[in-house]
Amino acid sequence: MEILVTGGLGYIGSHVATLLIEAGMEVLIIDNLANTRIEVLDGIESITGKRPYFKEMDVCDSEGMAQLVAEHPNLKGVIHFAAHKSVNESIAQPIEYYENNLGGLNQLLKISTQQSIPFIFSSSCTVYGQAEKMPIREDDPLKKAISPYGNTKRIGEEIIQDCCKAFENFNAVLLRYFNPIGAHESAKIGEYPRGVPQNLVPFLTQTVIGKYSKLRVFGSDYPTKDGTCIRDYIHVMDLAQAHIASLNYLLNKQNSENCEVFNVGTGKGVSVLELIYLFEKATGEKVPYVLSNPREGDTIEAYADATKIKEKMGWQAKYSIEEALQSAWKWEVKLKG
Ligand code: WQD
């Protein structure tokens, strides 16, 4: 049972690849190493005892992809992570984002639709923009994306939906991630943010470890319980498990339609100040922070209604946010070493 994981050395991809191997599946990883390091492969091997097939290549490389598929005629699933993912970078480089994220997706869809290979797409809650009501449901209206990155997720979902209409034997699951945080409990794999981390938890852990003097809390006058933004922070291991559940859901033909969308979150909203407090409680470390101006483009509140994936696949988040934050800190300490 060979499963192709594109971007499989990335943050989410490497945790999914690890669980797939532990579930007894043959994993093929392709990654262009644009936003990760080859050492992640050693981490996966160290955890699972198996070194998955790896080829350094770009999903946009049509010849390379054709050759890969010819060499592996028994692909039973594609899990597609390979894409650029920085909101800010996408605003500065829209063409690169549309070309890479949508070009790569199209390349994979040519293969998956021709061979009716089940397809799992890494989407994002960003497609909802600022939702009117909480928790956010899959059938809530989508909003115009605030960034080219978010737009590539929105357009990517539409391309896949059109492919499912055109090819009745092609089946796909679109997973709308909320905010992934943390790392594998072994601290052998985790997130390698490039440069200054844009996301809250890696910036927080790098501040606590001493790389930065203070964490800036972007905005403290929002209409929320404590004035700071609210998000649905999900342990990356829970998120990874949702991909295994989705793959089994498609392989066992349990899907009622050939394109289904699922939120993947805990269903709980946590504010920035609450997260800081929970981190301090979970690790015993002090977080130096300062209340700062709001960040352009931030939504005020976003947390998932995750009942659909529970009802259809039996998946629900199991880790607490404290466990996720402890794993994030353990990973940061490991990186420093
Ligand atoms: C969370 C909260 C910030 C940094 C982004 C992408 C989304 C997805 C997840 C890919 C916000 C606040 C942050 C800091 C802060 N990525 N914050 N100080 O923006 O919800 O989502 O990452 O799929 O598509 O948009 O996550 O971690 O950047 O921010 O106060 O130094 O933390 O304002 O309220 P976000 P985030």
Side-chain angles (χ1 to χ4, degrees):
M1 178 90 67
E2 283 193 316
I3 307 296
L4 174 60
V5 182
T6 75
L9 294 191
Y11 175 37
I12 319 290
S14 56
H15 287 81
V16 171
T18 297
L19 290 187
L20 286 171
I21 294 167
E22 290 178 337
M25 297 188 186
E26 281 301 310
V27 172
L28 274 62
I29 294 176
I30 60 173
D31 201 306
N32 66 3
L33 302 180
N35 191 24
T36 186
R37 305 177 192 178
I38 191 66
E39 289 82 359
V40 174
L41 197 55
D42 303 327
I44 294 171
E45 182 179 14
S46 169
I47 295 168
T48 63
K50 283 188 74 174
R51 193 172 186 85
Y53 169 99
F54 170 69
K55 190 169 175 62
E56 182 180 351
M57 65 180 287
D58 196 313
V59 285
C60 297
D61 169 8
S62 52
E63 280 175 31
M65 287 304 297
Q67 188 184 339
L68 181 83
V69 170
E71 289 163 2
H72 298 275
N74 297 322
L75 285 180
K76 292 288 180 275
V78 175
I79 308 181
H80 179 42
F81 296 103
H84 296 330
K85 56 163 251 181
S86 165
V87 170
N88 289 342
E89 189 182 60
S90 76
I91 292 166
Q93 301 173 34
I95 297 170
E96 169 57 23
Y97 267 69
Y98 287 117
E99 194 166 48
N100 181 71
N101 290 9
L102 298 180
L105 174 63
N106 283 334
Q107 197 59 250
L108 278 168
L109 288 171
K110 281 178 195 154
I111 295 162
S112 302
T113 52
Q114 277 162 7
Q115 300 183 34
S116 301
I117 303 173
F119 195 91
I120 296 170
F121 179 62
S122 162
S123 189
S124 167
C125 63
T126 199
V127 301
Y128 295 113
Q130 179 53 69
E132 300 303 318
K133 59 188 186 339
M134 295 297 137
I136 302 174
R137 292 167 46 89
E138 288 86 352
D139 53 9
D140 282 354
L142 305 190
K143 295 275 179 65
K144 175 160 174 33
I146 51 146
S147 69
Y149 160 76
N151 215 19
T152 64
K153 292 301 181 186
R154 169 94 189 254
I155 298 169
E157 289 193 2
E158 291 171 1
I159 292 172
I160 296 166
Q161 284 159 359
D162 288 345
C163 287
C164 289
K165 287 187 191 115
F167 304 96
E168 61 180 11
N169 294 325
F170 174 59
N171 294 277
V173 158
L174 314 179
L175 296 179
R176 290 175 180 163
Y177 306 164
F178 280 71
N179 288 59
I181 62 170
H184 189 273
E185 60 188 358
S186 64
K188 291 178 176 171
I189 55 174
E191 185 177 12
Y192 284 109
R194 260 184 317 169
V196 178
Q198 300 299 307
N199 294 137
L200 175 63
V201 171
F203 195 96
L204 183 153
T205 55
Q206 288 191 21
T207 300
V208 175
I209 205 113
K211 282 190 180 172
Y212 305 104
S213 59
K214 277 192 189 325
L215 167 71
R216 288 180 299 159
V217 174
F218 295 142
S220 56
D221 295 323
Y222 285 104
T224 61
K225 52 190 146 183
D226 59 18
T228 62
C229 292
I230 291 171
R231 294 289 185 273
D232 184 332
Y233 297 98
I234 177 171
H235 197 305
V236 67
M237 291 305 290
D238 273 329
L239 178 60
Q241 193 55 48
H243 290 76
I244 310 304
S246 299
L247 184 64
N248 289 329
Y249 181 72
L250 290 176
L251 291 175
N252 299 332
K253 303 190 187 320
Q254 293 169 289
N255 51 318
S256 43
E257 293 158 41
N258 69 336
C259 186
E260 294 188 23
V261 184
F262 296 94
N263 286 336
V264 189
T266 66
K268 297 187 194 82
V270 170
S271 76
V272 177
L273 288 177
E274 279 174 332
L275 186 137
I276 291 170
Y277 168 74
L278 290 167
F279 178 89
E280 291 182 338
K281 194 172 82 151
T283 62
E285 300 291 335
K286 196 85 186 95
V287 180
Y289 70 89
V290 61
L291 299 180
S292 181
N293 295 327
R295 180 173 68 176
E296 177 76 25
D298 271 343
T299 57
I300 299 168
E301 198 172 20
Y303 58 92
D305 176 330
T307 50
K308 183 180 175 186
I309 191 170
K310 181 163 183 345
E311 285 165 3
K312 302 274 277 191
M313 297 188 198
W315 175 92
Q316 63 182 3
K318 293 187 170 52
Y319 291 90
S320 67
I321 187 165
E322 288 90 341
E323 287 168 315
L325 292 169
Q326 275 166 346
S327 72
W329 177 238
K330 189 177 171 188
W331 170 247
E332 192 64 62
V333 170
K334 161 76 182 304
L335 284 180
K336 178 166 183 156

